[in-house]
Amino acid sequence: MSDLTSLTLTDALEGLENKTFSARELTQAFVDVIEASNDTLNAYVVKTPEKALDMADVSDARRAKGEAGLLDGAPIGVKDLYCTKGVRTTACSEILGEFTPTYESTVTQNLWDQGAVMLGKLNMDEFAMGSSNETSRFGPPANPWRREGSNATLTSGGSSGGSATAVAADLCLAATASDTGGSIRQPASFTGTVGIKPTYGRASRYGMVAFASSLDQAGPIAKTVADAALLTEVMCSHDAKDSTSLPVETPQWRHDVSKGVKGMKIGIPKEYRVDGMPQAIEDLWQQGIDWLKAQGAEIVEVSLPHTKYALPAYYIVAPAEASSNLARYDGMRYGARVQGDNLTGTYEGTRADGFGAEVQRRLMIGTYVLSSGYYDAYYLRAQKVRTRILQDFETVFTEVDALLTPTCPSAAFAYGEKSDDPVEMYLNDIFTVTANLAGLPGISVPAGVDGQGLPLGLQIVGKALDEATCFRVAGAIEEAAGFVAKPERWW
Ligand code: GLN
């Protein structure tokens, strides 16, 4: 492992500013490690080394002229659901074939505008549906972490598994990801990295391949809370090209990370103590509570009574929106096509061949819950539950500043362990989907390891538009935890 690739984003930017190394040297170091290890880790599904080195040279020239942006010269990986002009974007689905966008997503454009360097496109579950990346057309990435004394390959979570692998294995300084029901926070928890889903509407969805439009939100996976804050700041913006983009200023969150939690009230939702949660996660949660208390926060037990309905509501709303969004893939305008005897045959063949089993399952569920006769019983009901869940949060947020919960009910699991039972896979999202249903910001920060040496994350959920508090609490936990463990290198 080269020293340059193990730097944090913040330290790398300092090294660039102090001319300790150039953007080209830094980028070359990443290009080399990706070349050496991607066959094993399968984090990148498209590598763009020439583009990266060109961008690095332009960055060096810009810095020499004193015009460096916030991320100038920082090599970043991009989840494969962000449209990148001239670079293949398939959301890891067969149905997108060799689709190469002619335009750039707003989030990635914001990164390039601040000088970031693109290393390539990162692996993910097909259309971001999944919690393990087993649905990727390109096969799953490997989690760099392994259980002590075992060679079993573990999942780095999903759907942003490629982003999490790449950050944890030092194959980029940081990565873009996206979160519809936990796809930033769960992979971050499984890989000892930091991931934040901002408030719904903070980042533009323009140019992101849509899964469930009322839940999808962009965010980063990074090595530290400070790195995540800086990246979130750059990724978020008001954008007229997304009608749900919020017309608000983006704060400078990097200044919040070390402000501490003195005087804050932190809620502990009792409904998140679910049956069968491993003791190590219970213990870590308690440890997190103790850390925050020791730093001057007041801990308050709170109740979010509708929590138990969140997962069923999510698995109605998300497939419903997906069935509508994915109707556009019909083999006519772009992507792959299976020619049939007539138009209907072409549609059917294309969609039967192009979508994987999990995507097809969701499209069928989504179509069913939206169909006349069932719409009221399922979709409308789920939307009402969603309102209740939001009201629960609004009530507790009159009393507390943020909530502390585990990010996931388990540590990283091995491939195949949950893939036979979709419901068991869906249970992974139990602590994360609520923030999506309510549109609230949620961050996962690594806080410790379990008995087998695997990383575990704690989640902080904040009020709408109050990412600042999430970063403060996460910063406090990061400092108290002093989480410096790195996976032992086997790849
Ligand atoms: N695991 C969840 C799902 O499969 C969340 C996915 C996501 O956030 N994109 O729907």
Side-chain angles (χ1 to χ4, degrees), residues 261-266 289 291-299:
V261 292
K262 206 170 165 42
M264 272 191 192
K265 278 193 179 174
I266 307 293
I289 293 171
W291 282 329
L292 294 178
K293 256 195 218 159
Q295 295 189 49
E298 188 187 333
I299 304 295

Side-chain angles (χ1 to χ4, degrees), residues 215-353:
L215 302 162
D216 296 346
Q217 187 57 204
I221 291 183
K223 295 183 190 179
T224 66
V225 179
D227 288 3
L230 173 60
L231 217 57
T232 311
E233 224 175 282
V234 175
M235 289 168 74
C236 292
S237 61
H238 173 57
D239 183 10
K241 288 185 266 183
D242 170 3
S243 61
T244 59
S245 163
L246 294 170
V248 292
E249 288 284 309
T250 306
Q252 296 195 343
W253 290 306
R254 74 203 111 120
H255 303 309
D256 290 306
V257 176
S258 54
K259 281 189 180 158
V261 292
K262 206 170 165 42
M264 272 191 192
K265 278 193 179 174
I266 307 293
I268 308 299
K270 63 171 194 244
E271 290 78 9
Y272 283 56
R273 292 192 195 283
V274 294
D275 287 345
M277 190 155 75
Q279 192 58 39
I281 294 182
E282 286 270 4
D283 293 348
L284 189 73
W285 194 8
Q286 186 55 48
Q287 177 70 75
I289 293 171
D290 294 343
W291 282 329
L292 294 178
K293 256 195 218 159
Q295 295 189 49
E298 188 187 333
I299 304 295
V300 185
E301 171 124 336
V302 296
S303 172
L304 298 165
H306 295 90
T307 301
K308 61 175 175 295
Y309 304 116
L311 208 54
Y314 171 83
Y315 276 98
I316 288 175
V317 174
E321 293 185 16
S323 75
S324 162
N325 271 326
L326 273 59
R328 73 190 74 177
Y329 303 106
D330 56 7
M332 290 299 125
R333 285 154 296 186
Y334 46 81
R337 175 186 301 175
V338 175
Q339 197 66 49
D341 292 340
N342 50 34
L343 185 62
T344 310
T346 302
Y347 285 160
E348 287 175 354
T350 300
R351 289 171 68 85
D353 249 49

